[in-house]
Each structure stands twice: as structure tokens, then as C-alpha cells.
Amino acid sequence: MKRTLALLATCATALGLTTLAGPQAVAATGCKVDYTITSQWQGGFQAGVKVTNLGDPVSGWTLKWTWPDSGQKVTQGWNGTWSQSGSTVSATNLDWNRSLATGGSADLGFTGTFTGSNPKPTGFTLNGVACTGSTGGDTPTDPGNPGTGTPLSVNGQLKVCGVNLCNQYNRPIQLRGMSTHGIQWFSKCYNSASLDALANNWKADLLRIAMYVQEQGYETDPAGFTSRVNSYVDMAEARGMYALIDFHTLTPGDPNYNIDRAKTFFASVAARNAAKKNVIYEIANEPNGVSWTAIKSYAEQVIPVIRAADPDAVVIVGTRGWSSLGVSDGSNETEVVNNPVNASNIMYAFHFYAASHKDNYRATVSRAAAKLPLFVTEFGTVSATGGGTLDRTSTTAWLDLLDQLKISYANWTYSDANESSAAFKPGTCDGSDYSSSGVLTESGALVKSRISTTDNFPTS
Ligand code: IDC
């Protein structure tokens, strides 16, 4: 009897050990959360939530917390599927950020409302495990770029590597920023105060300088517009932002109509800005009513002019059908893939207006991004007219896709134009406040909430 019992006990121990197979087979868990209120206004706020997995890799996750104040509510979140039940918030991974390696992190964010004091939450869990590495509630991290660097100082000279835009460490990055409106009309919106706000409050990485060629633009005063563009390049550089020089051809749609002007203009701005690291050249805004071969021929004449003066800068080529990769003309990206511009260190422009351009355009970008370096040099949250109703669902789908693919973008427009694509309410540029939420349109608030999240540029 005694012997049997002893044997059973031994077996049980052995079985237990077999089941556990040693201490290393127990899944290691742990996490850390950095919760930062990035801006706050009357009754509303925006926060960034960075969750870092300190345990074994996971391939699907849910982050939860409970608000200490019952008045706090998430109204719109990004980079996850968000819900709130009572005072418990949960955010579950999207397809593209489902995997978190050990030490890997996901950057989430949301806008919310509050009553009372808006305390920071505690009690974060990742897949049900408490995030004891949490800094929530006490040490907010810098909502800006990590370290002391600006987007420009961290990334330095850009280059195209594979299908990506890469920084000085040859690592893919995404730049997020704003486009001016036509500088012939809205120069009052581009001054020290507005560009300070763009860099420091919006935390933009990029200013696109939209220099129309027609419509009272460059053709009416080449020297004057050239010098205005140069001064905006300097203002962006002084604030650590990249500057995208946009030769804003629109009507007529054939860029070859302006080829002599383009050669003169780019020879001048490329020579003047060659030593700078913050300049990107966009040689034709939106070719339309013209074949890809005609656009390619234009590019192959203008690019050498830029290279002769500024050999290492990235150049962006517009595409057919208002820079839709041909889709708006019934074509698609294959015409470019099969017949690319004969030049290196170039990218192709893709533009969209969220209320007009939806799933079939997104499918094209998803496909094309595997083969072509793409840069969304212009997009709107509204219809292609620049007006109409903001399409929040489509804009969010687009920006999630661009984030996932690390495609850089600039939003039309950082201006107070009386149209729904403008970020500021009419009259804003007559004042000096470009930072408070009260001056933003619905589009401005949405785009700012996306642009102002932490960049996390790789630095090695
Ligand atoms: C629009 C402006 C509008 C102006 C019009 C013509 O928002 O105020 O009257 O141009 O100059 C584009 C173009 C961009 C358009 C924008 C909205 O690149 O110049 O701006 N858009 O229509 N492509 C698709 C949309």
C-alpha cells in the first residue's frame, strides 16, 4: 500500500513536470503603457497610448483600461478597434499591427471627452495581464519626436530605398504634413506664427509648397514666385520640417505645356537649395488628359536639370489621371510598373479625395505599393472639388492604409479658404492663433489628430 502511494506521488510529480516541460515553457507576460494627453480643450482632449509588449511575442492583442472618472469617454480612436463599456475602454489590434514581438510596441491614439479633471487612467492590461511597466498616471512622455530632434535633424538627407522613403540610417520612414493652398492666393497663411504652429503644435514633418503655374501663379512672375518658394523652404528648415516644392500644374493637364518654365524654375531652386537636406521636388502636380508616355517624357527631361544642380534629392513624378496612377482615366498602375521613368531616387505621386476615391483606389495603392515608391503629395478628407462633406470613414481607412504601408502624405490645405478641405475656419489667417482647437474646421481637427501623434523615426 505504502509503496503504491509513493509510486503514484512520483508519477504525479513526473507528469506535472512533463506537462510544464520546464520553467521556460511558461509564457512570459508583461507590458508597459505610455499614456500621453497630447492636447486638451474645453471638454475634449486627444491622447496617445503606446503599448509595449515585455513578454513573449503575441499575434493578437487587446489593451484595456478603466477610467478613474466616469465622465471620460473615447469618441474616436485609431490604429485599433476601439470600444467603451461603462468606464472600461478596450482597443484591439488591426490586421497590420496584430503581431507584437518581445519589446515591440503599438502606437494608438484617440480623441475623447471628459467632465471634471481628466485624470490619466491606471490599471492597463494587455490580453488580461497587468501592464506593470506602465507610466500612465505619472510620467507622461514627450508627445513630440523622441529625443530632442526635429523630423529633419533625426532623419537628415532622404533617399528612396526599394519602394520606401528612407532616412539617413537607410530605414523606411513616413512623413506626415500639410500642403499650402495656392501661394498666389493664401500667402497671408504662411508666416512665422502659422509655421511655428505647424511644427510645434501640429508636429508636422512636412510642408508642401503649392506653387501654381497658371491661375495667376508662376507664369505671371517667375522671379517673385521662385523667391517666395525659397523663403518657405527656409522657414520649414528653420523649424526642422521637410519642404516639398510642388510645381502645381493643373490646367492645362499636359505638363509638357509648361516644360520650359519647369526647366527654368527647377534649375534655379535646385541650385539654390542643393546643400539643404530638407528639400524634395515634385515636378508636376496632377497631369490629366495626357498619356503616361507624355508624362514620362516630361519627367525624363526635367529630372536631369534637377540632378545637375542637386544630385541627391528625392524627386516625385505625378501620374496620369490627376495623379491617380491612371485609375481616374480607366487605367491602373501597370502602365507605370511596365514603363517606369528612367531615373533613380524617384517616387510616384498618388492623390486622393476621401469622399470621391474609395475602395478601388485603395486596392490600387495596396497593390502598387509593393512595386512602386509612392508618396501621397496631396489628399483631401472631402470630395475632389475640395468642398462637400467630410468623409471620416473613408479618410480613416485611407490614413490607416498609408500608416501601414509607411507612405508619406500631405493634406490639402493648411489654409483658411472658404471650402471644407481647408484646415482653418475662414478668417483664421487674419489673426495669429493657429494652435487652438477653436480655429480648426472639422477636416483640420481630424487631420491634426492624425499628424500630431509621435513619429518614432528609427535612429539606427
Ligand atoms: C482647388 C482649390 C480651389 C481652387 C481650385 C482651382 O481647393 O480653391 O479654386 O483648386 O485652382 C486637386 C488640385 C488642387 C485643387 C484640389 C481641390 O491639386 O489644386 O484645389 N484638388 O479641388 N486635385 C484634386 C482636388
Side-chain angles (χ1 to χ4, degrees):
M1 240 353 227
K2 235 179 173 176
R3 281 176 62 104
T4 317
L5 272 178
L7 193 64
L8 276 174
T10 310
C11 282
T13 311
L15 274 172
L17 276 176
T18 309
T19 312
L20 289 174
Q24 59 272 56
V26 179
T29 54
C31 44
K32 165 172 135 55
V33 172
D34 298 300
Y35 178 94
T36 311
I37 295 176
T38 49
S39 59
Q40 189 165 304
W41 54 93
Q42 192 62 48
F45 70 111
Q46 184 188 313
V49 189
K50 177 178 180 179
V51 56
T52 305
N53 176 26
L54 302 176
D56 287 343
V58 297
S59 61
W61 48 266
T62 298
L63 172 74
K64 288 193 180 186
W65 73 76
T66 302
W67 295 117
D69 182 320
S70 62
Q72 292 170 297
K73 288 194 173 51
V74 171
T75 44
Q76 201 208 344
W78 49 91
N79 294 352
T81 303
W82 291 76
S83 63
Q84 180 167 345
S85 164
S87 55
T88 301
V89 176
S90 48
T92 299
N93 64 272
L94 298 177
D95 201 43
W96 56 268
N97 62 6
R98 67 167 56 249
S99 299
L100 286 184
T102 305
S105 54
D107 270 300
L108 309 170
F110 65 92
T111 49
T113 55
F114 69 101
T115 52
S117 63
N118 199 22
K120 290 175 185 159
T122 50
F124 293 97
T125 61
L126 185 69
N127 290 348
V129 174
C131 296
T132 48
S134 168
T135 60
D138 42 287
T139 340
T141 48
D142 178 356
N145 295 297
T148 52
T150 64
L152 177 58
S153 71
V154 173
N155 294 303
Q157 179 62 52
L158 305 175
K159 59 181 80 80
V160 179
C161 49
V163 293
N164 291 111
L165 179 65
C166 286
N167 68 9
Q168 59 181 330
Y169 306 104
N170 290 316
R171 299 281 299 277
I173 60 162
Q174 177 197 36
L175 300 178
R176 298 170 295 165
M178 295 297 292
S179 176
T180 69
H181 203 293
I183 59 172
Q184 78 274 39
W185 296 313
F186 286 90
S187 60
K188 66 172 184 167
C189 292
Y190 313 112
N191 52 57
S192 293
S194 69
L195 295 182
D196 282 351
L198 186 62
N200 302 325
N201 183 250
W202 284 62
K203 306 211 173 287
D205 311 319
L206 171 74
L207 173 72
R208 180 190 194 227
I209 304 163
M211 186 198 70
Y212 277 71
V213 184
Q214 277 71 46
E215 301 187 58
Q216 289 78 55
Y218 176 82
E219 67 178 2
T220 64
D221 179 11
F225 279 97
T226 302
S227 102
R228 239 145 95 185
V229 167
N230 287 332
S231 80
Y232 295 148
V233 166
D234 294 351
M235 290 167 86
E237 182 189 37
R239 291 162 179 79
M241 292 186 287
Y242 288 88
L244 180 52
I245 298 181
D246 162 31
F247 194 69
H248 202 85
T249 55
L250 185 60
T251 309
D254 183 350
N256 292 292
Y257 176 85
N258 286 305
I259 196 159
D260 291 337
R261 293 183 192 92
K263 287 179 180 171
T264 304
F265 172 74
F266 282 110
S268 173
V269 291
R272 194 266 186 186
N273 298 304
K276 295 184 188 288
K277 295 181 176 168
N278 75 316
V279 178
I280 304 169
Y281 302 99
E282 182 181 4
I283 60 175
N285 167 49
E286 289 188 351
N288 57 87
V290 65
S291 68
W292 168 243
T293 45
I295 302 165
K296 174 176 144 87
S297 154
Y298 167 87
E300 288 173 355
Q301 294 175 69
V302 175
I303 292 169
V305 171
I306 297 175
R307 296 281 189 249
D310 187 350
D312 61 353
V314 172
V315 175
I316 303 173
V317 180
T319 57
R320 189 174 151 205
W322 295 273
S323 286
S324 68
L325 285 168
V327 181
S328 291
D329 267 354
S331 182
N332 61 43
E333 80 283 4
T334 55
E335 65 185 22
V336 181
V337 173
N338 296 335
N339 189 19
V341 170
N342 184 15
S344 58
N345 213 24
I346 62 160
M347 305 186 84
Y348 297 93
F350 183 84
H351 291 179
F352 67 85
Y353 278 74
S356 305
H357 308 126
K358 300 190 181 180
D359 287 342
N360 59 324
Y361 288 83
R362 283 189 281 268
T364 302
V365 166
S366 304
R367 262 194 334 261
K371 298 195 169 155
L372 299 170
L374 301 179
F375 197 125
V376 172
T377 55
E378 181 183 311
F379 82 93
T381 59
V382 297
S383 86
T385 61
T389 316
L390 175 141
D391 191 329
R392 189 175 291 275
T393 307
S394 175
T395 301
T396 302
W398 269 116
L399 296 182
D400 286 348
L401 179 67
L402 301 186
D403 289 351
Q404 177 194 339
L405 297 171
K406 282 206 192 312
I407 296 179
S408 300
Y409 63 76
N411 172 248
W412 185 264
T413 57
Y414 197 68
S415 84
D416 68 351
N418 192 10
E419 54 191 13
S420 55
S421 52
F424 296 114
K425 291 177 180 162
T428 300
C429 300
D430 301 321
S432 56
D433 175 10
Y434 296 89
S435 296
S436 68
S437 61
V439 298
L440 298 174
T441 62
E442 202 185 352
S443 182
L446 174 59
V447 173
K448 183 180 179 186
S449 78
R450 298 292 301 224
I451 289 182
S452 58
T453 59
T454 308
D455 283 306
N456 287 320
F457 294 122
T459 54
S460 60

